[in-house]
Every structure is written in structure tokens, then in C-alpha cells.
Amino acid sequence: MSANEAMLRSVLTLTALLTVPALTQASSYSHVCATPTNYQGSAEYATGVTCDQAMASFTGAGQALHNDDFSNAFDCGGKAQNVYETVHAVAAKCCGTGSEVSRRSACWFDYSHVCKTSSDYDANAEYETNADCDKYMDYLSSENQVLQSVGESFSSAFDCGGKSQEIKSAIDGVASKCCGSSGKSACADLYSHICHDPNNYDGSKQYTYEDDDGTTGTSTCDAAILYNLAPDQALKDED
């Protein structure tokens, strides 16, 4: 996942950008903001460049937003990653008056229910270098990525039942970095009925295994079951 800062700079240096005429309606791009009334078309996006001018460039032929219309409600779900990044970048400078909530973009989603306990979700926690949890969830939810079909579904309780192992693994991976000390995802305890009494299941408990060649290692119970549910493993047809 690459940042598009270099692309933004190159676009903004185009001579044509500085000659874009003033728009007759400042609301033409207002739906780039989660709350359209927060759009500030005359605000400064970059030195000598207003938000309206920046949006005129970004929606121009061959640019990141050239297929998108921000004069009406904009659905960011499943869009390409560079669309998410560009919309967020514009909103940070052009939406609201300073508060984090007022600066949310049309590509902002509540991903909190990726965690078993939604209040554990930390959007600003570091998932990997240069990517906090919200940014990584944007990536997983973007075009051709594993959570594209479910990316907008984490604003309320999420049911992992029937989801592919690929989706479950992605959700567990996010939770391990973004769901506080518990690290439990919406898919946690999904395997509890492997026990006679499901209440006794502890997915985080360490499990010691031995490979066919005698190599031993440790894993959590959740990870061990997930491995054995893979298409070529013993539990592949079980739920």
C-alpha cells in the first residue's frame, strides 16, 4: 500500500491548476466531506491553491477522481485505494473548521465492530509503518482487496458466520493490532463449539503442536483451528 503524496504534489504543480476558473457553486464538491455543509471551497489546500481548484484538478481527465461526482452523496465503498487517499487528503484541508469529526471525508467509515468489543477499536493505533488502523482498513476495503464486499459493515455488530477463511483471517489480523490489549476480533470465539461446553473455549490459549517432521511450535487455539479449516486440511468442511 503506497501513499499518494507524490502524486498530489505533482498534480498541484500543473500550470493548468492555477488557471481553473472559480466555480459558480461552491457546493459542487461538497460531498467530498462526510458532512457536506462542512466543505470550505475557498479554503487553502496548498500555497496559492484553493480547495475548489484542487478538486477541479483531481476530478480532471486522468486524475484519481476523474470518474467521480461530488455534487451529490458519494459512496466510497469499494473504490480504488488512491480514491480513498485523495478524498481523505482533501477533507483534511477542506472540510470543517478544525475538529477531527468535522474534517471527516466521504471515505470515512466506522470500523469499530471489527473488534469483538467495539469500544476496544483504536483507529489511530499503528498497524504497520505509515499506516494506522483506519488507513489499513481502508486498504483492505478498497477495490480488489479481501474486505471489499464487507468494508462498510463494521459500523454495527458484524457476523463472521459463513464468511470465507480469507475474510476471517484478515479481520483477526487487524484485531491483533487494533483492538486493544485483548486483540479479539468480531470473529473471536467463533470456534467455541469445538468444546463440549462452548463457554470453556479460550481462543487465545497457547497451543503446542508438532509437525510431521518432529518440529514443534506454539500457536493460539484460534490460529490452530483456522489453519485446520484451510481447504487442504482435516476440518475444511466443518463449521
Side-chain angles (χ1 to χ4, degrees):
M1 180 175 54
S2 61
N4 72 339
E5 292 180 357
M7 181 273 291
L8 296 179
R9 293 193 197 98
S10 63
V11 170
L12 291 174
T13 57
L14 293 174
T15 303
L17 179 65
L18 300 179
T19 60
V20 173
L23 300 175
T24 56
Q25 292 185 337
S27 61
S28 295
Y29 303 121
S30 62
H31 289 270
V32 74
C33 303
T35 303
T37 54
N38 286 341
Y39 181 66
Q40 312 285 326
S42 60
E44 185 176 75
Y45 179 80
T47 302
V49 180
T50 68
C51 291
D52 278 348
Q53 287 176 321
M55 282 297 293
S57 177
F58 289 134
T59 54
Q63 302 304 322
L65 307 179
H66 72 282
N67 287 324
D68 301 307
D69 177 10
F70 294 92
S71 62
N72 296 294
F74 180 70
D75 182 6
C76 202
K79 294 286 187 180
Q81 178 64 9
N82 66 337
V83 172
Y84 279 83
E85 291 178 346
T86 304
V87 169
H88 284 322
V90 170
K93 299 287 187 68
C94 306
C95 298
T97 55
S99 72
E100 182 178 353
V101 172
S102 72
R103 290 187 288 111
R104 285 175 178 169
S105 80
C107 291
W108 180 86
F109 294 113
D110 177 2
Y111 295 124
S112 62
H113 286 269
V114 74
C115 302
K116 182 176 178 63
T117 302
S118 60
S119 58
D120 286 344
Y121 182 69
D122 184 353
N124 299 314
E126 183 178 71
Y127 183 84
E128 61 184 19
T129 304
N130 297 323
D132 61 23
C133 291
D134 262 3
K135 186 172 184 179
Y136 194 71
M137 281 295 293
D138 283 348
Y139 166 70
L140 291 178
S141 305
S142 64
E143 185 178 35
N144 298 324
Q145 299 303 321
V146 62
L147 299 183
Q148 178 182 351
S149 63
V150 298
E152 300 174 63
S153 302
F154 296 100
S155 61
S156 58
F158 183 78
D159 183 7
C160 278
K163 297 296 189 292
S164 70
Q165 293 307 314
E166 187 180 20
I167 287 176
K168 292 173 185 176
S169 294
I171 290 171
D172 285 341
V174 170
S176 69
K177 301 284 187 70
C178 305
C179 296
S181 58
S182 75
K184 285 193 172 185
S185 79
C187 300
D189 302 330
L190 194 62
Y191 312 124
S192 60
H193 287 272
I194 199 169
C195 299
H196 180 72
D197 182 351
N199 292 320
N200 290 335
Y201 181 72
D202 182 358
S204 62
K205 187 173 182 178
Q206 290 295 308
Y207 169 84
T208 301
Y209 62 86
E210 182 176 345
D211 290 335
D212 293 339
D213 63 1
T215 303
T216 60
T218 59
S219 175
T220 64
C221 291
D222 274 351
I225 294 176
L226 184 62
Y227 171 80
N228 282 287
L229 287 168
D232 59 344
Q233 299 300 321
L235 302 181
K236 66 182 189 307
D237 296 320
E238 308 300 335
D239 182 5

